[in-house]
Amino acid sequence: MTDHALRLLRQDRRLAELAAFPFHFDLDRAAHGHVEEVRLASGGPLGTVAGDDTGGTYFVCADGSVLYASSEGAAGIIGSSVDEALELVIGLPGWRGCTRLSPDDGEEKILAYVAETEDEIREDYGIDEERAELRAALGFPERSPVELVGRLRAALLRTEPDFVLLNADEGCAYDRLGPAGPPLWETVLAAGRADLARLRQGDRTAWRDVAEDPVRRRITLRAAQFDRAEGDRELLRHETRSSMTDELRLAAVLVGLHGDTGDLPLLLEVRETDYDTVCGLSSMPEPGASADELRQWARGLDESMFGTDPADEPVSTWTDLARDQGMTELARVTLIRELDSIVMDQSRLRRPGSPPTLATALLSGLARDFEELGDLPQALRAQRLYAALQETAWDRASARHELVRLEREAGRLPQAADSLAAVRDALATPGDDSLRHWRRVNLGRFIAEEHYRLTLALADAGRLEEARALLTAADAVLGELSDNAAKGVRQLAERTAARVREAD
């Protein structure tokens, strides 16, 4: 659809006023912007086109789709164009309440809800004559509420992953407006399930294609994990081309569960692929083991690492496979929502059976995942929280050192300098003895190197006074290192000092 109706609103004040009231699509509110700074997680452009009386905002995205964001922190696509969105808000004056409806609810329920909503509106002001006038002037047909609800739901389901809205300052995602789409694992496994079906049908072309593509092998094996069959043992032969992965371990388990000791030579051959594989499959039964021993080994590994319900898998399993398939935005959005849930409820990090302690490795893993996706703002969010939750002086210094690197690479030089000052404070007043050897180990060398790298960045940015101050601090840290730890840093130190002198 085009934006013909939008042009008419902009040209005719009477029509614009009708759209603003009683249908709360107010072009004048576009000048005020949204209640807070926002951006799309995908980095795509946003243009403000209208607002409503609740503080909500209508944005236009790069492809013309209209994204509505409420003032309470929920957002969703409501049309593929401004005209389509206008037709919705005029045809369903209470459309925000309709986001809970689905065509599956049936015509009777939808019509009853819409009628009740519109009757409540009519108690305060008219909508019928105004709707008829706007529809006629803008060239909109009179569509059934059932059709409009179906359109709304289809539009909302397009929101993720490309149109997820973030608070620009904090980086957290707006809640979904309307229904959630299919779980990530379902989307990720779709290609693997298709390949698995072809393999089971004896498609030799599929065998060759899957064998030659490590990503397809991994996804097909994951599909086999949740849909197990006798003939799938052959999948292991294709996975022997890779080194140690969770999927290779899974393939061995799927074979071992059948308890056929004739498979032991192949399993043992796979185990010897490389050192990592030997370690990963070290508990595998040796030659001469019984069928029961083979099954017992496979069951134990299956129960501890795999299982038959995809919903039980760590979210990282699916985000990694999504990224490997090129579903970058889907992986990014899932990781953002995972980080948001931890920020809102840090009890998710508590170790089972040990409530006082936190398992924070999930946060450092999220930081690495975001960095690999090129999303430094989200990597910083995860690393900042990770650093704040560390309990020992060593862990705090190490986590903050990593935070400094991310801040420097993101161009946030003043913040990086502040974080580096916190690292020096941890070294000076650790509060425990975990840092007693920092001068003689790699951590001390890494901290000294980061001082000089940040000094170079400050000098290159023309922040000479800050660069000189940090160079002094860097030299002081270097001076405390043992001769062995300092060896690899001196050349960088000399180059940094020369750069600062040159800038002066």
Side-chain angles (χ1 to χ4, degrees):
M1 296 180 68
T2 68
D3 289 337
H4 171 71
L6 176 62
R7 289 195 294 273
L8 291 178
L9 290 188
R10 287 172 169 166
Q11 294 166 4
D12 189 319
R13 190 62 191 170
R14 163 65 181 171
L15 297 180
E17 289 174 350
L18 277 177
F21 183 82
F23 300 105
H24 306 296
F25 190 92
D26 191 344
L27 299 181
D28 292 340
R29 289 181 183 268
H32 302 295
H34 194 46
V35 293
E36 61 185 6
E37 290 296 319
V38 292
R39 63 181 178 87
L40 288 179
S42 64
L46 279 177
T48 308
V49 68
D52 65 20
D53 60 337
T54 68
T57 306
Y58 296 91
F59 296 99
V60 179
C61 304
D63 70 342
S65 295
V66 173
L67 179 74
Y68 175 80
S70 75
S71 58
E72 291 81 25
I77 294 292
I78 64 167
S80 61
S81 68
V82 177
D83 283 12
E84 191 173 298
L86 268 169
E87 188 173 357
L88 173 76
V89 301
I90 294 168
L92 291 176
W95 70 266
R96 278 168 290 186
C98 295
T99 58
R100 298 185 296 269
L101 295 176
S102 162
D104 295 338
D105 292 326
E107 181 175 334
E108 183 178 352
K109 180 178 178 178
I110 293 172
L111 292 178
Y113 178 85
V114 171
E116 181 181 355
T117 301
E118 294 192 354
D119 285 344
E120 291 175 358
I121 294 173
R122 291 185 186 98
E123 293 177 3
D124 298 317
Y125 48 81
I127 55 173
D128 298 303
E129 293 180 4
E130 293 81 356
R131 176 159 52 194
E133 181 179 349
L134 261 182
R135 274 177 167 164
L138 300 179
F140 290 158
E142 184 174 345
R143 299 188 192 275
S144 160
V146 176
E147 181 180 353
L148 291 174
V149 165
R151 285 181 163 207
L152 173 60
R153 186 173 181 84
L156 290 170
L157 287 171
R158 287 201 303 113
T159 304
E160 295 200 359
D162 295 321
F163 304 104
V164 172
L165 196 64
L166 305 181
N167 175 292
D169 293 328
E170 298 175 2
C172 54
Y174 272 49
D175 293 334
R176 296 179 182 88
L177 186 66
L184 177 61
W185 59 262
E186 189 172 300
T187 305
V188 167
L189 285 179
R193 286 170 164 170
D195 277 338
L196 183 60
R198 292 173 61 199
L199 294 178
R200 287 173 173 172
Q201 292 167 2
D203 186 331
R204 303 313 301 175
T205 301
W207 278 112
R208 185 185 67 250
D209 293 345
V210 173
E212 294 176 354
D213 188 328
V215 173
R216 289 178 69 175
R217 280 206 317 274
R218 292 177 63 203
I219 299 166
T220 303
L221 279 164
R222 287 293 180 176
Q225 175 184 349
F226 306 112
D227 179 15
R228 304 181 180 190
E230 175 75 22
D232 293 344
R233 281 183 290 173
E234 186 66 20
L235 294 174
L236 177 62
R237 300 185 182 277
H238 296 276
E239 192 59 17
T240 57
R241 298 187 182 198
S242 69
S243 59
M244 189 65 237
T245 64
D246 283 344
E247 284 73 28
L248 177 57
R249 194 181 285 118
L250 167 63
V253 166
L254 293 177
V255 171
L257 285 171
H258 294 282
D260 186 343
T261 56
D263 289 320
L264 264 176
L266 175 60
L267 292 172
L268 293 168
E269 179 185 343
V270 171
R271 187 180 69 178
E272 300 302 318
T273 302
D274 56 28
Y275 178 76
D276 288 340
T277 315
V278 170
C279 295
L281 298 175
S282 60
S283 61
M284 183 183 293
E286 297 298 329
S290 68
D292 285 343
E293 288 174 324
L294 178 58
R295 272 192 293 264
Q296 184 177 356
W297 166 78
R299 282 197 205 101
L301 209 53
D302 190 23
E303 291 171 1
S304 64
M305 294 195 63
F306 301 110
T308 57
D309 187 349
D312 291 339
E313 286 287 328
V315 69
S316 59
T317 296
W318 306 121
T319 54
D320 287 349
L321 289 171
R323 190 172 56 195
D324 289 345
Q325 292 182 79
M327 303 175 185
T328 304
E329 287 309 311
L330 190 59
R332 185 203 311 275
V333 166
T334 302
L335 292 169
I336 290 173
R337 294 207 181 278
E338 178 77 356
L339 177 55
D340 286 349
S341 69
I342 295 172
V343 170
M344 296 299 294
D345 182 12
Q346 293 176 21
S347 68
R348 286 193 53 200
L349 300 174
R350 297 203 179 280
R351 298 178 188 275
S354 183
T357 60
L358 299 179
T360 56
L362 177 57
L363 285 169
S364 61
L366 285 170
R368 285 193 299 272
D369 287 339
F370 282 123
E371 187 175 8
E372 289 174 4
L373 289 171
D375 195 334
L376 287 182
Q378 294 295 339
L380 280 167
R381 282 183 72 208
Q383 187 66 26
R384 195 174 294 117
L385 180 57
Y386 175 70
L389 294 177
Q390 298 313 300
E391 297 179 352
T392 69
W394 176 285
D395 290 339
R396 285 193 297 273
S398 179
R400 285 172 181 162
H401 160 264
E402 185 68 10
L403 178 62
V404 173
R405 180 186 67 80
L406 289 171
E407 288 173 331
R408 172 174 56 80
E409 293 180 356
R412 302 184 181 187
L413 303 186
Q415 294 91 332
D418 289 342
S419 297
L420 205 46
V423 173
R424 293 195 298 276
D425 289 343
L427 298 178
T429 55
D432 59 43
D433 65 352
S434 60
L435 281 170
R436 63 187 181 278
H437 299 306
W438 74 268
R439 297 168 182 84
R440 293 182 290 173
V441 297
N442 281 337
L443 178 61
R445 178 168 65 87
F446 295 155
I447 290 172
E449 287 175 343
E450 189 55 52
H451 274 75
Y452 289 114
R453 290 195 180 98
L454 182 55
T455 300
L456 285 170
L458 289 167
D460 290 343
R463 307 176 78 103
L464 299 183
E465 184 176 349
E466 296 163 78
R468 286 191 292 269
L470 190 57
L471 179 59
T472 301
D475 290 341
V477 172
L478 179 59
E480 291 201 53
L481 297 183
S482 67
D483 287 342
N484 192 49
K487 280 181 184 177
V489 187
R490 290 196 178 101
Q491 186 175 0
L492 176 61
E494 292 169 3
R495 181 161 57 89
T496 304
R499 176 69 184 90
V500 173
R501 286 195 301 270
E502 176 189 334
D504 282 339

